[in-house]
Amino acid sequence: MRAVRDIDREILRLAGPAFLALVAEPLFLLADAAVVGHLGTAQLAGLGIAAAVLQTAVGLCVFLAYGTTAGVARLLGSGDRRGALALGLDGIWLAVALGAAITVVGVLLTGPLVAAFGVEDDVAGFATTYLRIAFLGTAPLLVMLAATGVLRGLQDTRTPLVVAVGGNALNVVLNVVLVYGAGPVAGMGIAGSAWGSVAAQVASAAALAYVVVRGARRQQASLRPDLAGVRAAARAGAALVVRTLTLRAALLVTTYAVALGAGGRPDEVATHQLAMTLWGLLAFVLDAIAIAAQAITGRALGAGDVDGALALTRRMVTWGWASGLVTGVLLAAASPLLGPLFTDDPDVPGLLVPILVVAALGQPIAGVVFVLDGVLIGAGDGRYLAWAGLAVAFVYAPVTIAAVAWWDGGLVTVWVLFAGLFMTGRLVTLLHRARGDAWLRTGPTLAA
C-alpha cells in the first residue's frame, strides 16, 4: 500500500499545474473584455453575447478532455503507452471533425443565434461580427481540449499549463495590436479582437498537438485517423455530454428562478450573477483536484490495482472535503468585503453577504462532489454519471421553480436549494456509486 505522503505528493504534482491552467483562461478573458470594453459599451455587450454562444458550444465538448484523460490513463496504467497515444490521437481527430462541423453550422447560423438574444441593432452587429470570426477558432479550441486530455492521461499537467499561459499572453498582445494598433492589419476594432483570439488558439492547438504527435512518433503509433477509434471516442463521450447538459441545465434553472423571483429587480439578478461568478472561481480549486482524480484513477484501474484505486479515492475525497472547507471559510470571511469591490450599487453588497454565506456552507459538499465526479470519469463510469445527473436535475428543477413561483421564495431560498438540494443530490448519488464496486472495472479498456 502506498504511503499517504506519496499519494499527497502525486495529487499535488497533477493538481497544482492543472489549477494554474484553469485560472489562466478566465484571467486572460477578463483582459480581452478590458481591451474591447474601451471601444465602447455596445462592443463589450456584443462580445458578451458572442462569448456566451461560443462557450456553450465548446463547453458541451468538454468530454474531449475528460473522456480522453480516462482512456489514455487506463492504457498507460496497463503498460501500453503506444496504445494510449493512439487512443489520444483518435480523440484529436474527433475534435477536428466536430470542430469543422460546428464551424460550418455556427458561421451559417450566426445571425439567428445573435437575434435570439433580442438585443439592439448596434449590439447585434458587433456580436455578429465577432462571433462569425470566432467560430473559425472552434476546431483549434476542441483540439486543445483533446490534446490536453491526452497529456493529463499521460500524467502531464505542466505542458498544458505552459501552453495556456503562453497562448493567452499571445492572445492579449494580438488583441491590443489588432484592435488599437496602426498598420494594414491593425485598428480593426472588435473584429481585430476576434482574429487575435483565433490566431492564439491556432498557435496553442499546434503546440499541444505537436507534443502529442512527437510522443506518438517515439512510440511508433500511427498518426492517421482510425475511424473505428474515432467512433469509439464519440460513443464514449456521449454519456459525458448528457452529464454536462444536466449541470448546465441546473445552472440555467437557478438563474431563471432568480430572475422569476426578482420580479424585474436588477439588483437581485446582479447579486446572483456576482455570486455565481465567485462560486465558479472557487470551483477551479476543486476542479483541479478532480482532474488529478481522473488521471490517477484511470491509471490505477488500467494497472489492475483496485486496492490502490480505493486508497487513492479515499485520500482524494479527504482533499476535496478539506479544500472545500478552506474555500468556504475564506468565502464567508470575505463576504462583507467583496460586494463593494465589484459594484457601486448600494443594495448589492447587503444582498450578497447571505448568499455567499450559503455558498460557503456548501463548499465542503462541492469539494467531495467534484472529486468523486473526477474519480468516476477516470473510471470510465460516464453512463452512471449521465443517469445520476438527469435524476438530480429532474428533482431540482421543479422544486426550485415551485419554491419561487408558488411559495414566494427569494434569492436566498434559491441559493439554499442550489447548495442544499442540487449539490447534496449529486453528493448522494456519487457516494452511492463510489461505495459499491460496479465502477471498479480493471484492464486497458473502458468496456464493461
Side-chain angles (χ1 to χ4, degrees):
M1 186 66 66
R2 295 174 60 187
V4 171
R5 183 175 297 177
D6 292 337
I7 296 175
D8 288 346
R9 187 179 296 114
E10 184 167 19
I11 294 171
L12 270 176
R13 180 179 65 82
L14 294 173
F19 167 69
L20 294 174
L22 288 169
V23 170
E25 184 170 350
L27 290 178
F28 282 107
L29 286 176
L30 288 175
D32 281 359
V35 171
V36 174
H38 283 88
L39 291 172
T41 302
Q43 287 91 332
L44 183 58
L47 173 64
I49 290 171
V53 174
L54 198 62
Q55 287 170 5
T56 298
V58 174
L60 291 177
C61 296
V62 72
F63 72 90
L64 289 167
Y66 290 171
T68 305
T69 296
V72 169
R74 186 175 283 262
L75 283 164
L76 181 71
S78 72
D80 186 5
R81 191 177 186 90
R82 178 180 178 181
L85 284 159
L87 184 148
L89 286 170
D90 290 338
I92 291 175
W93 281 114
L94 175 61
V96 171
L98 283 175
I102 293 173
T103 296
V104 172
V105 174
V107 170
L108 292 175
L109 296 181
T110 294
L113 287 170
V114 172
F117 286 84
V119 295
E120 297 178 355
D121 290 345
D122 56 344
V123 174
F126 290 124
T128 300
T129 297
Y130 187 95
L131 186 58
R132 186 164 283 129
I133 298 170
F135 266 126
L136 300 177
T138 304
L141 279 170
L142 298 192
V143 169
M144 288 166 61
L145 280 177
T148 296
V150 176
L151 294 172
R152 288 173 180 170
L154 295 173
Q155 319 296 292
D156 176 11
T157 55
R158 290 183 179 273
T159 300
L161 168 62
V162 172
V163 174
V165 173
N168 283 304
L170 176 62
N171 180 37
V172 173
V173 172
L174 289 175
N175 267 253
V176 172
V177 171
L178 295 178
V179 172
Y180 296 111
V185 293
M188 300 169 62
I190 195 170
S193 177
W195 282 116
S197 295
V198 169
Q201 289 155 7
V202 170
S204 297
L208 289 170
Y210 169 77
V211 175
V212 175
V213 168
R214 183 181 61 186
R217 283 176 171 168
R218 287 175 177 173
Q219 297 297 321
Q220 298 182 334
S222 174
L223 303 181
R224 291 180 297 179
D226 176 12
L227 294 181
V230 173
R231 286 195 296 267
R235 286 195 300 270
L240 292 179
V241 170
V242 175
R243 163 204 168 270
T244 302
L245 281 171
T246 62
L247 299 181
R248 290 189 173 272
L251 295 177
L252 287 173
V253 166
T254 304
T255 301
Y256 173 75
V258 169
L260 181 65
R265 295 188 297 275
D267 54 350
E268 291 199 4
V269 177
T271 300
H272 167 73
Q273 183 59 41
L274 181 54
M276 192 60 74
T277 300
L278 293 168
W279 186 86
L281 181 61
L282 293 178
F284 287 129
V285 179
L286 309 179
D287 202 29
I289 303 172
I291 288 170
Q294 293 172 28
I296 296 172
T297 301
R299 191 194 64 209
L301 292 177
D305 185 6
V306 172
D307 290 339
L310 290 171
L312 286 163
T313 298
R314 287 192 293 269
R315 189 58 184 168
M316 285 186 287
V317 166
T318 300
W319 269 73
W321 178 86
S323 299
L325 183 62
V326 171
T327 57
V329 169
L330 292 174
L331 181 61
S335 59
L337 308 174
L338 293 172
L341 293 178
F342 293 93
T343 179
D344 295 325
D345 188 317
D347 296 325
V348 170
L351 292 170
L352 184 63
V353 171
I355 304 306
L356 293 185
V357 170
V358 171
L361 291 173
Q363 283 293 297
I365 295 174
V368 177
V369 165
F370 275 58
V371 166
L372 289 178
D373 197 51
V375 166
L376 295 181
I377 289 174
D381 208 22
R383 184 175 298 178
Y384 177 82
L385 291 173
W387 282 111
L390 286 170
V392 174
F394 277 130
V395 173
Y396 172 70
V399 170
T400 302
I401 298 301
V404 173
W406 297 345
W407 304 324
D408 297 325
L411 187 58
V412 174
T413 300
V414 173
W415 269 85
V416 168
L417 289 171
F418 176 71
L421 179 59
F422 178 68
M423 295 304 295
T424 301
R426 292 192 67 202
L427 176 67
V428 170
T429 57
L430 293 172
L431 282 175
H432 171 74
R433 187 65 164 180
R435 287 173 176 170
D437 59 6
W439 62 279
L440 291 167
R441 298 190 296 272
T442 58
T445 67
L446 293 170

